Amino acid sequence: MNILLAEDDLQLGELISFMLKKKGGYQVEWVKTGEDAYDYASSVHYDVLVLDWMMPNGDGVDVCRDLRKEGYGGAILMLTAKDAVEDRVVGLDAGADDYLVKPFEIDELLARLRALTRRNYAPIVEETVSIQGVELNRNGQTIQMDGQSIQLSPREFQLLDLLVQNKGQVLTRDVMLDRIWGYDADVTAKTIDATVKLLRKKLDVFSRPDIVQSVRGVGYKVEE
């Protein structure tokens, strides 16, 4: 399960993130502002968004409401210290699917996450997508062109797929590390460069190593 946690309380956020990974075995990305929560949820698919009600730069209710207005169809769980019925109604009316009042036990949070993912929230994602004549097959994690297919490593494929999903945008190395390896992974920006180098070698078989473009001092991008 891939989860986006938005919680500005550093101690609580660190605890929830750690326990979701340890007890749930989930992949967790942790942001601390409403603005970041909106941006991440708008660009990457998550199985569940766990949004704290009170956050800087846009609270959880605002983020939830704005995402729903944009057509976001994923599962959203609200966390809050507000336990009045009217507050719960506000959160649910904003588009939240479930509501958990602080303080809570981590086992209850895990149970609610499992219940949410049993519902079919996942958007329909194309099995294949094409970029500059090269076709990415998400099921097989391969790239192919003119009938020739090449297997990519999981990291190579994730990197290329992330760039393709955000085509036309420059992704920094920090963002790529966070989205692919996780913010707390023991890797550096050089890992991104090494992965890109290996990916380009495979794309060179199709004479297309230039699909992944370097943006000096920033990161990488792909264009249509």
Side-chain angles (χ1 to χ4, degrees):
M1 190 188 302
N2 191 19
I3 296 173
L4 177 64
L5 169 66
E7 170 61 68
D8 67 316
D9 184 307
L10 298 183
Q11 185 174 1
L12 181 59
E14 185 173 6
L15 175 62
I16 294 174
S17 179
F18 175 77
M19 294 304 292
L20 288 179
K21 293 175 182 178
K22 181 178 180 180
K23 296 193 71 173
Y26 303 145
Q27 180 177 337
V28 182
E29 292 189 81
W30 172 29
V31 297
K32 305 170 185 66
T33 69
E35 182 179 11
D36 283 345
Y38 178 84
D39 289 344
Y40 273 54
S42 298
S43 59
V44 176
H45 168 66
Y46 297 95
D47 296 294
V48 184
L49 308 185
V50 180
L51 303 178
D52 184 35
W53 184 302
M54 300 299 294
M55 292 184 292
N57 297 331
D59 62 34
V61 172
D62 289 337
V63 172
C64 183
R65 185 179 292 114
D66 290 344
L67 286 170
R68 293 306 192 201
K69 285 180 180 178
E70 295 293 327
Y72 184 83
I76 299 177
L77 172 69
M78 295 289 301
L79 299 179
T80 181
K82 299 175 180 286
D83 60 356
V85 171
E86 55 267 30
D87 292 321
R88 300 186 190 194
V89 170
V90 169
L92 294 170
D93 282 348
D97 299 291
D98 201 357
Y99 195 103
L100 191 56
V101 177
K102 300 176 182 177
F104 54 84
E105 296 293 330
I106 195 68
D107 285 340
E108 182 179 4
L109 174 58
L110 290 169
R112 288 175 181 264
L113 292 174
R114 290 193 297 269
L116 284 173
T117 54
R118 283 196 292 269
R119 307 174 195 174
N120 188 18
Y121 290 99
I124 297 174
V125 178
E126 292 179 282
E127 178 184 340
T128 60
V129 61
S130 182
I131 185 77
Q132 298 183 32
V134 175
E135 188 175 84
L136 285 73
N137 184 306
R138 290 191 169 109
N139 283 344
Q141 295 197 344
T142 59
I143 52 175
Q144 55 190 38
M145 185 177 184
D146 298 330
Q148 183 177 5
S149 180
I150 297 174
Q151 185 75 45
L152 299 182
S153 72
R155 296 303 191 195
E156 291 166 356
F157 190 87
Q158 289 175 320
L159 188 150
L160 182 57
D161 197 21
L162 179 63
L163 288 169
V164 170
Q165 290 179 53
N166 295 276
K167 55 183 177 289
Q169 301 181 52
V170 179
L171 300 185
T172 67
R173 290 174 175 83
D174 286 343
V175 166
M176 296 169 76
L177 281 172
D178 190 20
R179 302 292 176 91
I180 299 173
W181 280 267
Y183 79 97
D184 57 351
D186 187 20
V187 294
T188 68
K190 290 182 179 179
T191 304
I192 290 288
D193 298 333
T195 305
V196 168
K197 184 176 181 180
L198 293 171
L199 176 59
R200 282 175 170 162
K201 284 184 177 180
K202 293 183 178 180
L203 288 168
D204 194 33
V205 174
F206 303 136
S207 299
R208 301 312 310 272
D210 56 337
I211 286 180
V212 179
Q213 300 177 26
S214 300
V215 180
R216 188 173 180 180
V218 183
Y220 297 93
K221 68 175 182 177
V222 300
E223 297 287 357
E224 287 279 10

